[in-house]
Amino acid sequence: MSSSKTSRKESDRHNPKNSLISMISRPEIGPIGVMILLFGMLGYFSIPASETTWNPFAGEGFNALGIRNNLRVISQLGIIALGAGLLIIAGEFDLSIGSMIGFAGACMAMTLRWGFSIVLPYISFDGGAHLEFYTLLHIPDVSPILAIFITLCFTITFGWIQGFIIVRSGLPSFIVTLGGLFFLRGLTEVSLRSFNHRPDQAKGATTVTEIPDIKNIINLPGYGEMEREAAKYLPETDLISILKNLPSDVITKITERLEYTSQRVAEAKTDLLIAKGVKPLEKALENAIASDNEFMIKTIQDKIENFKIDPVTPKTVTDVDIARAYIDTIGSARPVADFFGGNILEPIFDWLYFPVDWNVNNFGNQFAPGLYSCVMIWVILSLVCYIVLSKTQVGNWIYSTGGNLSAAQANGVPTNKVKISLFMFSAFCATLFATCQVFEVNTSDAAKGNLKELEAIAAAVIGGIVMTGGFGTILGIIVGAFIFGLAKEAFFYIPGIDGSFYRVFLGFVIIASALLNENIRKRIMGNI
Amino acid sequence: MISKSNPLIETKDLVKKFGSFTALNGVSLKVYPGEVHALLGDNGAGKSTLIKALSGVHQPTSGKILVEGNETKFNSPRDASEVGIGTVYQDLALNSLTSVTRNFFLGRELKFGKGPFGILKMQKMHNIAIEEMAKIGIKIEDPEQPVGTMSGGQRQTLAIARAIYFGAKVLILDEPTSALGQKQQMEVLKTIKKVQQLGNIAIILITHNEIHARLIADRYTFISLGEVIGSGTSKDLEGDDIRRLMAGGAEVGDLAKELA
């Protein structure tokens, strides 16, 4: 018998950590690669066909309007992906997110439009038995914050109910929230039709319109509260009279800005006219070169060099223009509505107005006044979720609830509370989504949020969340939302290809990500 | 006051009935600090019921449990762990997907501020986890290593270190060596030895394996059909006795005859 005495220890079997390798083996690295690829695609394919450039950021996908619109899609998805993702990490699903968005939007729009009341139905026997309603409470004018609060009461309660049923009964969350999906969508349609039923209609509508543009209500000195657009189209004498009360430095600043704008617009128009005039000459030059006519070449070259055109005179800035520009600078009188539905980073977009010729059309108007507020809400929510999941006790509880439920329970983790809270959080995220939407567009539709629950789950999976729970990061969810949103946009820009190919692409990405995630999970579990 | 001569935990005539079935029929047992007390018996002998009664999962039908001489009643596992009974079950109650530290402090995280949203004191927890595991013989290089990548023996150590750190005076180990390879079994036995050498902790070791029991146990209790059929210190018992008692009192010699 021979035995070799070795001093090898168990820990020797693990290769020492190498910072490069540990960076590559992070679960987010695959998705980040796909994200960068999509960034490139979106940029490159959104360059107009006539221009030739290798700089992908020259494309329409990355001009001010492109960034504004792309980030809106991404951040809206990102908000609900956070709710769905955290829930999956804790080992449960929520399929009711999409319907919850529709429900929350309808609830908010209805309270904003018709007010809020609590009624008590009872049977009255006066003149035959019939149902009558006793109004306990009626608030005809609901402020944005109250509308959000009322909606949250409903949605979070519903999230709690779903979580409670799942935790208590042990039923799979798939089936309970599937019930929630149908229930909420149906409830939304039914209540919209019954509230939104004008006498002249046979059936009620499932769309709420005619909500004022709340985020753009401003307090105009001397006129009180009114919508920004209405204020801009006041009689011109009124507009000019507004200017009288303004300090002179404000007026100077606005005037300078408007003069600069019209100057730049005039220059741009001049350039355009020159280009239009020179183009036929250049074509003629090409022909002349082709036919080797030296005299012609010389003549045409002279003509191009001496091509002159009267520069376009800049539009003069009138007092009415100044007043309208001033109205644009007045802050909203409804900060809550503005917080959810307004714009952010407006000064930056103002500053980037001309220097890069990137955010202005030929009338001197900005393409994009700023980013949608939902981007900011997504960023805030992501930060909060990151801190909670990675840095707090609750984060450890969420991981362990999804990773090994019985171990978590044995160590005293209140797993039921964790799960129910996350169902409530996912309802909260859906409500945030709806809030942003309602205050942005001032309408609501019962069909809003359709299929969003699946998009949210897909984004989470693409970002490295394992469906069996216990594994995943917030950074991953963010990247997943980016990939989903970018794919939706990038494929739209590819010429000669059906826009719906983005779904084909995403199908591949989802399956590939799920395989990758499972591989990583098994490696960590020690099954490989 | 802990002294070697007084049992840390003691049961007197413990009876547990599930309906008409008597799982434990008057079990008495004394466990001393600094000793490994091997609890041996065949499948279904009542070992599991006994340790579940000791760790507060089951409430005994009659009989007494005394901790340091005081009669105690456990209504829940939490009660038991509060008086210092730490149970390490076979599944170890570990989450393989998260790090050593996160598992070590699972449910009892150190944090800044009160409430579940307190920020974790990660560095401090890393240090404690490494230190506590080193005390019983396993050096962990990386406290962020997922538990799933650790060997079975290391996981067992983690679970034991955790129980001790959170105040276990009586450590109940439920078949710690089953489902492990030879080498890892030895590692776990070494760990148990280290805990024994700490001197103030009483260990109840449930096992099927008489070889392991003989390697580290100081005292034995044999259970069959819910009753104690034999007990003694390692000096009192001969190898054949142990084998006979483990098989529920049947003579191994008889078996040899039958098989012949």
Side-chain angles (χ1 to χ4, degrees), chain A residues 390-391 393-394 396 404 524, chain B residues 94 102 109 111 116 120 148-149:
Chain A
S390 304
K391 304 282 175 208
Q393 186 174 31
V394 174
N396 204 17
N404 187 344
I524 289 178
Chain B
L94 294 174
R102 279 176 180 272
E109 293 85 350
K111 64 205 169 182
L120 298 174
T149 61

Side-chain angles (χ1 to χ4, degrees), chain A residues 42 61 65-75 486 489:
Chain A
L42 174 60
L65 196 62
I67 289 179
R68 175 176 159 91
N69 290 336
N70 294 342
L71 274 181
R72 182 199 199 187
V73 173
I74 292 166
S75 58
L486 282 175
E489 298 296 307

Side-chain angles (χ1 to χ4, degrees), chain A residues 174-185:
Chain A
F174 182 91
I175 220 68
V176 174
T177 56
L178 186 67
L181 180 151
F182 287 113
F183 176 85
L184 279 176
R185 186 69 73 195

